[in-house]
């Protein structure tokens, strides 16, 4: 079948043509309105078409839209770097800008490796990650990803990295608030370091709060600190992938702030630029940067790194978050939205779990809430429910829960400007979509 579009996407499936977007809403060219219940791919943190951000971008466009980082320093990139450093853990004063999350993760692991080589630890090259996980689509980031459908076809072309299980206590029937649960999963990291040989392990990378692959997964009690302690014990660098959890969506600028644990390197993107320009960053401890620069420089870079227009947009986004108190709103409205999602479990017995923090939230569908057995794979719930919600005018985001093969979870992550009335809209449209899915799948629904 020949498509009438010259654009090449992931599949042949087509969506309506976007006409405009304002706040939490988007309209297609036929005038239908959609509530952006996932902020795109958890990107549009401050909503669409914010006039103050657009004005900041216009002012910068009148000055310059590009200045190559090896030829010029620019005021927007310097100001944004200083702002990011002020919002990062103590000692993380150095920022390297990129255009997206994959580039941020790639930069993090390349910095970690160059640091090890510089300080005489060239035997360290393995980066342990979790399964499932998603860290990006470039080969370096994909090697860290634990999501078989995305990585398996390319495995012969890259160096796969060691994996440990993600701390999915809800699937394993372990209590989230028991420190022994956190210790149980953290011990898997120590065992893997010992199995691989500590002298070969460079870093461990994790999302403090899960993104698409684990659906807003929260770490069990004690896990984050135990991981930090293990990394320190074996000289392993700790990298936090804050591509999705960073930027204020969880109620704190960095997701790890909820747990009081500082990493050695941070990768951030998505909501950091909030969709106004391609933007991401790697933030690192000075003690890692200084030896690398002294040895001749960071052997890495992208053409658009530190682009002045993107940095002007990013700075305006952070100013909007701070001025409008959007992190506080994310915490308050996020708590309300999470409670409303939990209430849906009373009507829909096939909702097995609701999780997350702030406005990084998800729910998971199951066949049996007690065993957490997934719905039959053939139901394709991960795509069916998204389409049914889309028909209602609600955009949500889904992934296969169990390694990309089966299981179904859905991220509900509206922009940080969302209000109580819009939460009502989200729940109303989602409820209708769940009812229609249940009817198609032959699942029972309790009466209102």
């Amino acid at each position: 079948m020949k498509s009438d579009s010259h654009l090449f996407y992931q599949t042949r499936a087509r969506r309506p043509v976007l006409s405009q977007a304002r706040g939490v809403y988007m309209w297609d060219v036929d005038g239908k309105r959609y509530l952006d219940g996932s902020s795109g791919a958890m990107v549009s943190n401050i909503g669409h078409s914010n006039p103050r951000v657009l004005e900041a971008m216009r002012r910068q466009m009148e000055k310059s839209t590009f200045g190559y980082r090896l030829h010029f320093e620019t005021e927007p990139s310097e100001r944004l770097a200083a702002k990011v450093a002020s919002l990062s853990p103590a000692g993380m004063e150095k920022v390297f800008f990129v255009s997206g999350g994959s580039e941020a993760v790639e930069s993090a692991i390349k910095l970690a490796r160059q640091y090890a080589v510089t300080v005489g630890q060239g035997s360290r090259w393995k980066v342990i990650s979790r399964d499932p996980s998603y860290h990006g689509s470039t080969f370096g980031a994909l090697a860290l990803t634990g999501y078989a459908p995305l990585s398996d076809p390319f495995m012969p072309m890259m160096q796969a990295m060691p994996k440990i299980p993600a701390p999915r206590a809800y699937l394993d029937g372990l209590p989230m608030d028991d420190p022994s649960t956190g210790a149980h999963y953290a011990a898997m990291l120590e065992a893997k370091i010992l199995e691989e040989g500590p002298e070969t392990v460079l870093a461990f990378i994790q999302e403090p709060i899960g993104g698409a692959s684990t659906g807003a997964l929260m770490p069990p009690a004690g896990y984050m600190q135990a991981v930090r302690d293990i990394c320190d014990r074996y000289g392993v660098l700790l990298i936090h992938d804050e591509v999705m959890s960073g930027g204020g969506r969880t109620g704190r600028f960095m997701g790890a702030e909820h747990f009081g644990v500082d990493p050695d390197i941070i990768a951030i993107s998505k909501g950091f630029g909030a969709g106004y320009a391609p933007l991401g960053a790697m933030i690192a401890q000075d003690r890692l940067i200084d030896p690398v620069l002294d040895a001749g420089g960071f052997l890495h870079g992208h053409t658009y790194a530190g682009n002045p227009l993107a940095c002007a947009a990013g700075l305006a986004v952070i100013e909007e978050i701070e001025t409008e108190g959007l992190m506080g709103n994310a915490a308050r409205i996020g708590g309300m939205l999470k409670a409303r999602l939990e209430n849906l479990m009373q009507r829909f017995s096939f909702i097995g779990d609701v999780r997350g923090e702030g406005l990084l939230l998800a729910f998971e569908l199951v066949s049996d809430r007690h065993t957490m057995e997934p719905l039959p794979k053939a139901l394709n719930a991960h795509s069916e429910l998204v389409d049914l919600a889309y028909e209602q005018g609600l955009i949500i985001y889904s992934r296969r829960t169990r390694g990309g093969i089966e299981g179904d979870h859905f991220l509900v992550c509206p922009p940080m400007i969302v209000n109580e009335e819009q939460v009502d809209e989200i729940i109303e449209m989602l409820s209708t979509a769940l009812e229609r899915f249940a009817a198609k799948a032959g699942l029972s629904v309790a009466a209102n």
Side-chain angles (χ1 to χ4, degrees), residues 348-370:
F348 303 100
S349 62
F350 52 91
I351 298 179
D353 192 52
V354 173
R355 52 186 179 266
E357 185 72 39
L359 287 169
L360 180 53
L361 300 172
F363 65 94
E364 184 164 339
L365 303 188
V366 296
S367 291
D368 187 310
R369 196 179 288 171
H370 300 292

Side-chain angles (χ1 to χ4, degrees), residues 334-354:
M336 177 186 304
L337 177 56
K338 186 177 182 182
R340 297 289 299 276
L341 291 172
E342 289 170 340
N343 287 342
L344 290 179
M345 296 177 74
Q346 299 175 22
R347 290 194 60 215
F348 303 100
S349 62
F350 52 91
I351 298 179
D353 192 52
V354 173

Side-chain angles (χ1 to χ4, degrees), residues 43-92:
V43 172
S44 302
N45 277 15
I46 66 166
H48 302 276
S49 303
N50 181 283
R52 288 171 289 278
V53 176
L54 296 181
E55 179 56 33
M57 295 176 72
R58 288 190 192 98
R59 290 195 301 269
Q60 182 57 42
M61 282 191 284
E62 292 172 355
K63 296 178 181 179
S64 68
T65 58
F66 180 76
Y68 188 49
R69 71 189 189 285
L70 299 183
H71 296 163
F72 292 96
E73 296 180 5
T74 67
E75 181 185 357
S77 61
E78 291 293 333
R79 289 181 60 203
L80 180 58
K83 185 63 180 177
V84 170
S86 74
L87 292 167
S88 300
M92 303 192 80

